[in-house]
Amino acid sequence: ELKVEQNPLFLSMQEGKNYTIYCNYSTTSDRLYWYRQDPGKSLESLFVLLSNGAVKQEGRLMASLDTKARLSTLHITAAVHDLSATYFCAVDMFDVDDKIIFGKGTRLHILP
Amino acid sequence: DTAVSQTPKYLVTQMGNDKSIKCEQNLGHDTMYWYKQDSKKFLKIMFSYNNKELIINETVPNRFSPKSPDKAHLNLHINSLELGDSAVYFCASSPRPRPGELFFGEGSRLTVL
């Protein structure tokens, strides 16, 4: 059974600092997605990573995918309060099981 | 125009009642999903339909019955509601054959008293 593990699950950090969220998964997949969820809101797509070595950047967020290591990272550069949210990675298992499996989410709280 | 819309946004009901949530997407996608998000924010897939055909049924109690009258609509009916059914239910859609990203509705928060 596919497992998708994010860490940390909770992160409180100061504005201006850098940090990385990790997403490990247990079965071969070449596609991974990152989503953001604000409290009480829906999930918003951030990044779609479609191959080994894919790197995408948007503002202070950068996501990467290493399919050999079964690892994706979401790096936050010089965090600002507006980035406070829950971040989910999701692994595309359509080649195996016809579904997308989500990690448990990382609740990020950035202190002003 | 809202791409994936769900109604109602909030439901508060008593144990034992039956309720339905409706979902519609105007993206032209072939595949639609129901995900459940519990109080710890964990997201778990419940069902998926591809062009009205059930593809995934994730060991969900048979009190939950999805219905897809056409590929733009996916409804969820829940019988005999239990306290543990309290959650936020998200509808999502995606294109086929590979989904790319999922497009989520705003969620329906169900509270069972």
Side-chain angles (χ1 to χ4, degrees):
Chain A
E1 183 189 330
L2 173 67
K3 289 187 181 176
V4 181
E5 294 185 353
Q6 280 183 243
N7 69 84
L9 295 182
F10 299 95
L11 178 56
S12 184
M13 58 192 288
Q14 295 283 341
E15 274 193 327
K17 299 289 188 185
N18 302 334
Y19 210 82
T20 300
I21 299 169
Y22 297 88
C23 176
N24 289 91
Y25 52 97
S26 59
T27 306
T28 302
S29 173
D30 63 354
R31 292 186 176 210
L32 189 140
Y33 314 102
W34 285 94
Y35 291 86
R36 169 180 172 149
Q37 185 179 34
D38 291 304
K41 301 291 186 185
S42 185
L43 283 89
E44 172 194 355
S45 177
L46 290 175
F47 298 110
V48 176
L49 302 169
L50 298 179
S51 61
N52 185 39
V55 177
K56 296 268 183 86
Q57 182 160 7
E58 180 75 34
R60 300 173 189 273
L61 299 177
M62 184 171 72
S64 66
L65 177 62
D66 181 344
T67 58
K68 292 189 169 72
R70 299 179 187 170
L71 171 69
S72 180
T73 61
L74 180 66
H75 187 74
I76 303 150
T77 301
V80 293
H81 181 67
D82 285 352
L83 290 177
S84 297
T86 300
Y87 292 86
F88 291 91
C89 66
V91 178
D92 181 333
M93 293 302 300
F94 266 68
D95 282 344
V96 173
D97 212 6
D98 217 17
K99 64 179 88 162
I100 293 174
I101 304 297
F102 281 77
K104 290 184 176 177
T106 297
R107 292 194 206 185
L108 177 62
H109 183 50
I110 299 171
L111 303 168
Chain B
D1 266 350
T2 304
V4 183
S5 58
Q6 295 179 229
T7 54
K9 199 168 178 185
Y10 299 97
L11 293 117
V12 180
T13 189
Q14 300 286 333
M15 271 198 309
N17 284 349
D18 303 339
K19 287 292 176 188
S20 292
I21 307 169
K22 295 186 175 183
C23 179
E24 176 180 4
Q25 54 97 1
N26 63 8
L27 296 167
H29 290 163
D30 289 323
T31 309
M32 296 183 73
Y33 311 80
W34 281 111
Y35 278 84
K36 178 181 179 180
Q37 186 172 47
D38 63 21
S39 58
K40 293 184 180 176
K41 303 295 185 190
F42 300 158
L43 267 165
K44 189 163 182 203
I45 189 166
M46 300 174 68
F47 301 102
S48 82
Y49 272 74
N50 180 52
N51 201 9
K52 304 192 294 176
E53 181 186 345
L54 180 66
I55 302 295
I56 295 171
N57 180 344
E58 279 290 295
T59 57
V60 175
N62 58 16
R63 297 181 296 103
F64 290 79
S65 50
K67 275 203 180 132
S68 181
D70 56 61
K71 76 173 194 177
H73 295 84
L74 180 61
N75 304 324
L76 183 65
H77 187 75
I78 316 169
N79 290 325
S80 305
L81 279 155
E82 300 178 357
L83 292 176
D85 298 332
S86 295
V88 180
Y89 293 84
F90 283 100
C91 176
S93 74
S94 71
R96 294 285 280 195
R98 294 298 293 277
E101 68 225 81
L102 297 176
F103 293 78
F104 282 88
E106 293 197 347
S108 297
R109 180 176 294 276
L110 171 65
T111 303
V112 182
L113 303 174

